Amino acid sequence: MTVLTRIAATAVLGLGLAACTQPQQASGPDIVDTAVAAGTFNTLVAAVDAADLTTALKGDGPLTVFAPTDAAFDKLPEGTVDNLLLPENRGTLVTVLSYHVLSGAVRAADLGTEPSVATTINGLELSVDPTDGVVVDGNARVVTADIEASNGVIHVVDTVLLP
Protein backbone atom coordinates (compact mmCIF):
# COMPACT_ATOMS: atom_id res chain seq x y z
CA MET A 1 0.00 0.00 0.00
CA THR A 2 1.50 3.35 -1.00
CA VAL A 3 1.85 6.27 1.39
CA LEU A 4 -0.89 8.17 -0.44
CA THR A 5 -3.28 5.23 -0.21
CA ARG A 6 -2.52 4.77 3.50
CA ILE A 7 -3.17 8.46 4.20
CA ALA A 8 -6.46 8.39 2.32
CA ALA A 9 -7.54 5.10 3.91
CA THR A 10 -6.89 6.38 7.42
CA ALA A 11 -8.85 9.55 6.76
CA VAL A 12 -11.79 7.56 5.44
CA LEU A 13 -11.76 5.27 8.47
CA GLY A 14 -11.84 8.32 10.68
CA LEU A 15 -8.86 7.25 12.73
CA GLY A 16 -7.19 10.61 12.28
CA LEU A 17 -3.76 9.03 11.82
CA ALA A 18 -3.07 11.02 8.66
CA ALA A 19 -3.39 14.27 10.59
CA CYS A 20 -1.27 12.90 13.45
CA THR A 21 1.58 11.89 11.16
CA GLN A 22 1.71 15.20 9.32
CA PRO A 23 4.25 17.84 10.30
CA GLN A 24 2.99 20.92 12.11
CA GLN A 25 1.38 23.36 9.72
CA ALA A 26 2.98 26.74 9.30
CA SER A 27 1.22 29.84 10.51
CA GLY A 28 0.09 32.26 7.88
CA PRO A 29 -2.55 32.31 5.18
CA ASP A 30 -4.91 29.37 4.84
CA ILE A 31 -5.70 27.55 1.58
CA VAL A 32 -8.35 30.06 0.46
CA ASP A 33 -6.28 33.13 1.33
CA THR A 34 -3.25 31.62 -0.43
CA ALA A 35 -5.33 31.01 -3.57
CA VAL A 36 -6.75 34.54 -3.49
CA ALA A 37 -3.28 36.07 -3.05
CA ALA A 38 -1.89 34.13 -6.02
CA GLY A 39 -4.30 35.87 -8.39
CA THR A 40 -4.47 32.89 -10.77
CA PHE A 41 -7.31 31.04 -9.06
CA ASN A 42 -10.16 33.56 -9.43
CA THR A 43 -12.55 31.03 -10.96
CA LEU A 44 -11.74 28.42 -8.32
CA VAL A 45 -12.26 30.93 -5.51
CA ALA A 46 -15.60 32.03 -7.04
CA ALA A 47 -16.68 28.40 -7.36
CA VAL A 48 -15.68 27.62 -3.76
CA ASP A 49 -17.72 30.63 -2.64
CA ALA A 50 -20.74 29.62 -4.79
CA ALA A 51 -20.57 26.09 -3.37
CA ASP A 52 -20.42 27.49 0.18
CA LEU A 53 -17.14 25.65 0.82
CA THR A 54 -15.04 28.63 1.90
CA THR A 55 -15.41 27.88 5.62
CA ALA A 56 -14.43 24.24 5.08
CA LEU A 57 -11.28 25.20 3.14
CA LYS A 58 -10.37 27.78 5.80
CA GLY A 59 -10.79 25.19 8.58
CA ASP A 60 -8.08 23.48 10.62
CA GLY A 61 -7.29 20.78 8.06
CA PRO A 62 -4.85 19.59 7.11
CA LEU A 63 -6.10 19.27 3.53
CA THR A 64 -4.48 18.75 0.16
CA VAL A 65 -6.01 20.70 -2.72
CA PHE A 66 -5.34 20.06 -6.40
CA ALA A 67 -6.09 23.64 -7.47
CA PRO A 68 -6.97 24.29 -11.12
CA THR A 69 -5.85 27.66 -12.45
CA ASP A 70 -8.11 30.07 -14.29
CA ALA A 71 -6.53 28.77 -17.51
CA ALA A 72 -7.57 25.24 -16.53
CA PHE A 73 -11.18 26.36 -16.14
CA ASP A 74 -10.92 28.13 -19.51
CA LYS A 75 -10.21 24.74 -21.14
CA LEU A 76 -13.71 23.49 -20.19
CA PRO A 77 -16.41 23.67 -22.88
CA GLU A 78 -17.97 27.12 -23.19
CA GLY A 79 -20.72 27.69 -20.64
CA THR A 80 -19.63 24.89 -18.28
CA VAL A 81 -18.41 27.16 -15.49
CA ASP A 82 -21.42 29.50 -15.77
CA ASN A 83 -23.71 26.47 -15.61
CA LEU A 84 -21.94 25.03 -12.56
CA LEU A 85 -22.20 28.36 -10.74
CA LEU A 86 -26.01 28.43 -11.02
CA PRO A 87 -27.70 27.92 -7.62
CA GLU A 88 -29.65 24.91 -8.91
CA ASN A 89 -26.35 23.15 -9.76
CA ARG A 90 -24.75 23.64 -6.35
CA GLY A 91 -24.74 19.89 -5.63
CA THR A 92 -22.82 19.15 -8.82
CA LEU A 93 -20.42 22.00 -8.10
CA VAL A 94 -19.75 20.65 -4.60
CA THR A 95 -19.06 17.20 -6.08
CA VAL A 96 -16.62 18.63 -8.64
CA LEU A 97 -14.78 20.80 -6.10
CA SER A 98 -14.63 18.04 -3.47
CA TYR A 99 -13.00 15.81 -6.08
CA HIS A 100 -10.00 18.16 -5.90
CA VAL A 101 -9.46 17.75 -2.12
CA LEU A 102 -7.82 15.06 0.01
CA SER A 103 -7.87 14.81 3.77
CA GLY A 104 -4.37 15.21 5.19
CA ALA A 105 -1.39 17.14 3.86
CA VAL A 106 0.09 15.09 1.02
CA ARG A 107 3.29 16.56 -0.35
CA ALA A 108 5.06 15.55 -3.56
CA ALA A 109 7.72 13.68 -1.55
CA ASP A 110 4.94 11.54 -0.01
CA LEU A 111 3.92 10.14 -3.40
CA GLY A 112 6.79 7.74 -3.88
CA THR A 113 7.52 6.49 -7.40
CA GLU A 114 4.56 4.25 -8.22
CA PRO A 115 1.03 5.16 -9.35
CA SER A 116 -1.51 5.07 -6.55
CA VAL A 117 -5.12 5.85 -5.75
CA ALA A 118 -6.34 8.33 -3.16
CA THR A 119 -9.82 8.84 -1.80
CA THR A 120 -11.08 12.40 -2.07
CA ILE A 121 -13.12 14.02 0.69
CA ASN A 122 -16.31 13.13 -1.19
CA GLY A 123 -15.36 9.44 -1.19
CA LEU A 124 -14.43 9.15 -4.86
CA GLU A 125 -11.13 7.63 -5.96
CA LEU A 126 -8.51 9.73 -7.71
CA SER A 127 -5.48 8.29 -9.50
CA VAL A 128 -2.08 9.88 -8.92
CA ASP A 129 0.86 8.93 -11.13
CA PRO A 130 4.29 10.37 -10.20
CA THR A 131 6.25 8.41 -12.83
CA ASP A 132 6.56 11.25 -15.39
CA GLY A 133 5.93 14.41 -13.43
CA VAL A 134 2.78 14.12 -11.36
CA VAL A 135 -0.39 13.39 -13.31
CA VAL A 136 -3.71 13.35 -11.49
CA ASP A 137 -6.78 11.53 -12.77
CA GLY A 138 -5.01 10.62 -16.01
CA ASN A 139 -4.99 14.08 -17.56
CA ALA A 140 -4.23 16.87 -15.08
CA ARG A 141 -0.56 17.69 -14.66
CA VAL A 142 0.73 19.20 -11.42
CA VAL A 143 2.54 22.32 -12.63
CA THR A 144 3.52 23.60 -9.17
CA ALA A 145 3.67 21.36 -6.12
CA ASP A 146 3.81 21.86 -2.38
CA ILE A 147 2.50 25.39 -1.90
CA GLU A 148 2.25 25.55 1.87
CA ALA A 149 -0.78 27.01 3.62
CA SER A 150 -1.52 27.14 7.33
CA ASN A 151 -4.09 24.36 6.98
CA GLY A 152 -2.59 22.17 4.28
CA VAL A 153 -0.89 22.09 0.93
CA ILE A 154 -1.86 23.16 -2.58
CA HIS A 155 -0.74 21.50 -5.81
CA VAL A 156 -1.51 23.60 -8.90
CA VAL A 157 -3.03 21.57 -11.76
CA ASP A 158 -3.49 22.54 -15.40
CA THR A 159 -6.84 20.79 -15.87
CA VAL A 160 -10.10 20.73 -13.90
CA LEU A 161 -10.71 17.27 -12.45
CA LEU A 162 -14.16 15.95 -13.30
CA PRO A 163 -15.51 12.95 -11.40
Side-chain angles (χ1 to χ4, degrees), residues 17-163:
L17 295 177
C20 293
T21 61
Q22 298 303 319
Q24 279 288 50
Q25 296 298 310
S27 61
D30 58 44
I31 289 170
V32 174
D33 292 340
T34 301
V36 168
T40 56
F41 302 105
N42 298 319
T43 306
L44 176 61
V45 171
V48 165
D49 187 50
D52 200 25
L53 294 174
T54 302
T55 301
L57 291 178
K58 289 176 94 41
D60 290 339
L63 299 170
T64 298
V65 177
F66 293 102
T69 61
D70 293 334
F73 279 99
D74 289 343
K75 293 189 326 187
L76 292 172
E78 188 174 335
T80 301
V81 173
D82 291 336
N83 191 42
L84 283 170
L85 294 176
L86 294 172
E88 60 267 25
N89 294 328
R90 183 177 177 273
T92 302
L93 181 60
V94 168
T95 299
V96 169
L97 293 174
S98 298
Y99 192 58
H100 290 78
V101 182
L102 305 176
S103 180
V106 182
R107 289 164 182 79
D110 298 330
L111 298 178
T113 59
E114 298 296 320
S116 58
V117 175
T119 303
T120 63
I121 61 168
N122 64 4
L124 299 174
E125 290 188 341
L126 185 67
S127 65
V128 180
D129 186 350
T131 56
D132 182 24
V134 177
V135 177
V136 182
D137 205 30
N139 63 355
R141 186 165 296 280
V142 173
V143 294
T144 305
D146 297 338
I147 298 172
E148 295 291 331
S150 63
N151 61 342
V153 63
I154 299 169
H155 302 293
V156 181
V157 292
D158 66 354
T159 303
V160 176
L161 307 173
L162 298 173

